[in-house]
Amino acid sequence: MNTVPFIDLKPQYQALKQQIDSKIMKVLEHGQFILGPEVKECEKDLAKFVGVKHALTCSNGTDALQIAMMAVGFQPGDEIITTPFTFVATAEVPVLMNVNPVFVDIEMDTYNLKIEDIEKKITKKTKAIMPVSLYGQMPDMNALMQIAEKHKLFIIEDGAQSFGAEFDGKKSGSFPHIGCTSFFPAKPLGCFGDGGAVFTDNDEFAKAMEEIRTHGQSARYHHSRIGMNGRLDTIQCAVLTEKLKRFPWELDQRNKYADRYFDKLKQLEPKIKLPRVLKNRRSAWAQYTIMVDDRENFAKHLQSKGVPTSVHYPTPVHQQPAYKQWATEALPNAEKAAKSVISLPMYPDMTDAIQDQVVEAILSFYR
Ligand SMILES: *Cc1c(COP(=O)(O)O)cnc(C)c1O
């Protein structure tokens, strides 16, 4: 019996090898490894794809969040409302900036922020909301924007898992005020190492973020603000430009396999809980994550059938040892999800045969 991959990026590289190799070679030949012409080219393509005025590449998704927060401008002791059911970077960046993450519980159908709980958590110190478009699905951005307008808050979307996703026909990253994403290789659009980007329609934020990305520099060796080294390598931008051309097809593939999982597994509900994409939304399917009661044995059984799984995430951030001081109350949905979510193989170059092996392994666990 073959073991199927959890994610396999080799077929993607094979499909694009000629274009990517020659694009990288060009960079090696011109030698502008930092902010070379491919960076602007890539940013133009990203801005067009996302539908925003400004796209700026940066070192990784975590730094994208930091660059966005630095541009918005927080005071020590300010608060940012976010979800505990996410990758740790979402809370790590505020804490590094002496901003207190205020955790709001999640809703169980999408695992995203429970929007109706947000207003209760707003205080005089609240400056922003950082929603996470978990597993590739965006939250209700209109509802979030209404709350933000009413209370004069900023929204910074952590779209690290949702590049290519849509809400109301608009792409992840394109909503006010700033969208952030990651090009870590396993994200929907990955580069060949670490990478990320920030998106905005706001000229002032764009200018600030561009300066912050290069040590707060507004002219060479003139530092008008505090910044960081947050640039993305020219080589990674060259890779992204080529990969972006295939990306719409890849999104279709992810959606095809998500639909196919649903069709083949829905007979098992309610023993398992399949993911739902709410209306007006299209997921980028960074993960296909289900809920099961007996996760440990489920994973062991799938492993014995050659099917790897992964848990995103076993511990919500407010229960992490380093974050206990920001845990103000129980967040039952996040805690419940952390105990029972499990992600199945999902990637654009999956085949029907590979997916059938995953499905059969799951069906056999319940027989
Ligand atoms: C991956 C991820 C990040 C961090 O992105 P990196 O590129 O790994 O720094 C932040 N938030 C979420 C939700 C993520 O999934």
Side-chain angles (χ1 to χ4, degrees):
M1 180 194 53
N2 290 327
T3 295
V4 305
F6 186 70
I7 292 181
D8 185 5
L9 298 173
K10 288 187 289 293
Q12 181 196 55
Y13 176 56
Q14 286 311 317
L16 294 169
K17 183 169 166 43
Q18 266 191 337
Q19 299 93 301
I20 290 178
D21 288 5
S22 78
K23 193 96 182 165
I24 290 177
M25 287 308 289
K26 271 200 203 130
V27 178
L28 299 186
E29 272 153 29
H30 69 55
Q32 293 180 58
F33 299 118
I34 302 292
L35 299 180
E38 286 78 5
V39 176
K40 273 255 154 27
E41 183 190 359
C42 173
E43 290 173 347
K44 211 175 122 226
D45 294 348
L46 289 170
K48 185 165 174 229
F49 179 86
V50 171
V52 281
K53 214 164 149 190
H54 308 280
L56 288 162
T57 55
C58 64
S59 33
N60 56 64
T62 307
D63 287 350
L65 299 175
Q66 185 168 342
I67 291 168
M69 283 190 70
M70 288 172 77
V72 164
F74 286 78
Q75 299 300 318
D78 280 351
E79 294 172 358
I80 189 165
I81 291 175
T82 191
T83 163
F85 194 56
T86 179
F87 180 63
V88 71
T90 315
E92 179 181 47
V93 171
V95 167
L96 278 171
M97 295 181 64
N98 291 311
V99 171
N100 292 311
V102 173
F103 295 114
V104 164
D105 207 1
I106 57 167
E107 50 175 40
M108 285 316 253
D109 47 355
T110 63
Y111 309 103
N112 280 330
L113 265 183
K114 197 169 169 191
I115 293 178
E116 62 265 33
D117 284 2
I118 289 178
E119 282 193 290
K120 290 182 263 195
K121 298 291 182 81
I122 295 175
T123 71
K124 282 201 198 75
K125 296 202 160 161
T126 310
K127 176 106 195 195
I129 306 170
M130 188 180 278
V132 177
S133 301
L134 201 73
Y135 305 146
Q137 180 171 198
M138 296 169 72
D140 183 339
M141 296 304 285
N142 292 338
L144 282 171
M145 277 161 46
Q146 263 178 14
I147 295 173
E149 265 164 40
K150 184 169 157 200
H151 299 273
K152 300 199 167 38
L153 307 177
F154 295 97
I155 298 180
I156 300 172
E157 185 199 358
D158 180 347
Q161 303 185 6
S162 59
F163 186 78
E166 288 175 24
F167 175 80
D168 254 356
K170 290 181 66 190
K171 291 266 179 1
S172 174
S174 72
F175 286 81
H177 298 85
I178 301 176
C180 303
T181 200
S182 164
F183 302 126
F184 182 84
K187 308 282 175 165
L189 179 66
C191 58
F192 288 176
D194 279 307
V198 288
F199 307 102
T200 190
D201 279 324
N202 180 304
D203 297 338
E204 275 166 47
F205 285 149
K207 181 169 180 285
M209 292 193 292
E210 190 164 13
E211 291 177 5
I212 290 162
R213 178 177 73 172
T214 305
H215 302 288
Q217 180 170 282
S218 51
R220 194 165 167 81
Y221 301 133
H222 179 78
H223 303 277
S224 49
R225 58 172 82 238
I226 305 294
M228 62 197 281
N229 180 353
R231 295 168 302 237
L232 183 59
D233 296 338
T234 309
I235 286 182
Q236 298 298 351
C237 288
V239 171
L240 283 170
T241 297
E242 291 309 317
K243 287 192 38 167
L244 188 58
K245 292 176 188 162
R246 189 182 192 245
F247 186 66
W249 176 83
E250 293 186 353
L251 279 174
D252 289 347
Q253 286 286 103
R254 287 180 186 271
N255 276 279
K256 170 193 150 176
Y257 285 113
D259 289 346
R260 212 165 167 273
Y261 267 138
F262 190 85
D263 288 343
K264 291 179 182 286
L265 295 173
K266 65 174 184 286
Q267 54 178 303
L268 293 176
E269 286 197 308
K271 276 185 281 208
I272 67 175
K273 184 173 176 289
L274 298 173
R276 297 294 197 279
V277 177
L278 302 188
K279 77 171 177 6
N280 300 335
R281 276 165 245 212
R282 186 170 198 236
S283 178
W285 294 108
Q287 305 295 342
Y288 192 89
T289 304
I290 67 173
M291 267 175 69
V292 299
D293 286 333
D294 187 9
R295 183 168 70 194
E296 207 174 313
N297 286 321
F298 180 91
K300 265 191 211 143
H301 178 82
L302 264 61
Q303 193 64 53
S304 77
K305 301 283 180 190
V307 175
T309 54
S310 186
V311 174
H312 307 96
Y313 295 89
T315 309
V317 181
H318 69 289
Q319 294 185 324
Q320 294 285 355
Y323 290 83
K324 289 225 164 100
Q325 103 181 64
W326 293 280
T328 51
E329 62 186 7
L331 299 165
N333 287 355
E335 290 159 27
K336 177 161 184 257
K339 287 198 178 82
S340 34
V341 290
I342 187 160
S343 304
L344 307 178
M346 167 56 83
Y347 55 96
D349 290 277
M350 185 150 75
T351 62
D352 290 6
I354 286 173
Q355 188 174 42
D356 289 344
Q357 185 176 333
V358 179
V359 168
E360 179 47 36
I362 295 170
L363 293 176
S364 70
F365 180 70
Y366 290 99
R367 268 201 289 272

